[in-house]
Amino acid sequence: VVGAVFTTIGVHGLALGFASRSWPSTEARILQSKVERDTSGSGKDRSTSYHAKVTYEFTVDGVTYKGDRVAAADIGRGKSIHAERIVKRYPKGSNATVYYMPEKPNRCLLEPGFKGQAFIIPSVGLFVLLLGGVFLAAQISVMRDERKEAEQSPSGDVQKAAPQE
């Protein structure tokens, strides 16, 4: 189930990135641009990830929209370098080109298409899905063998020899 969820989310991100390459664009104003740090866990299991928080607004057909997506399937990383680069590309108060879905302009992003990291989530999902399938097939095989063995014994039960003294 986890593999299927990850695969679905990842494929959706890839489809969004692919579709965004043909979206119309307009100018946006960057309202906020900063690196955010997320810490989870405690002690030795503590991990920190960083992501760029970029919000912007733009107008389509007289309606103002706000967005915060930089790229399709953009995920945080363990180091702040990636997030810092994004913040430098989109400083607060600057203008940038925003790409938006024609039917739903609130679905928007600053960088159309997708990068190599967009393949991480669906790849993990497919791996977990495949691993689950292998374990399921192995379990079914064991259950068939046990059932076949039980059917071959005269009483339907596996007979065990009595311990000798």
Side-chain angles (χ1 to χ4, degrees), residues 19-159:
S20 69
R21 296 184 311 170
S22 63
W23 288 353
S25 63
T26 190
E27 191 169 292
R29 181 99 173 134
I30 306 298
L31 304 174
Q32 177 187 27
S33 185
K34 65 181 182 177
V35 175
E36 288 192 342
R37 184 175 85 173
D38 295 322
T39 305
S40 61
S42 62
K44 289 183 179 181
D45 295 328
R46 181 177 223 145
S47 66
T48 302
S49 64
Y50 300 87
H51 69 277
K53 177 69 174 174
V54 179
T55 54
Y56 47 89
E57 72 177 6
F58 60 100
T59 304
V60 175
D61 296 329
V63 179
T64 301
Y65 297 92
K66 284 188 179 180
D68 62 4
R69 180 172 281 197
V70 174
D74 194 17
I75 57 175
R77 297 190 182 189
K79 296 184 179 180
S80 64
I81 296 169
H82 176 68
E84 289 170 2
R85 285 183 187 148
I86 292 171
V87 168
K88 284 181 183 177
R89 275 198 310 269
Y90 303 105
K92 181 179 178 179
S94 67
N95 292 328
T97 302
V98 63
Y99 298 83
Y100 60 91
M101 185 182 287
E103 315 82 50
K104 296 180 182 178
N106 59 329
R107 300 283 313 260
C108 54
L109 44 77
L110 297 174
E111 298 176 1
F114 47 82
K115 297 175 177 56
Q117 71 179 10
F119 292 95
I120 293 172
I121 293 176
S123 297
V124 168
L126 287 172
F127 176 75
V128 171
L129 196 60
L130 179 65
L131 195 61
V134 168
F135 283 127
L136 181 62
Q139 183 61 35
I140 289 171
S141 177
V142 167
M143 289 171 53
R144 281 185 184 158
D145 290 346
E146 288 174 350
R147 188 175 73 223
K148 190 181 282 186
E149 188 176 307
E151 288 173 352
Q152 290 176 355
S153 70
S155 66
D157 292 331
V158 176
Q159 296 180 356

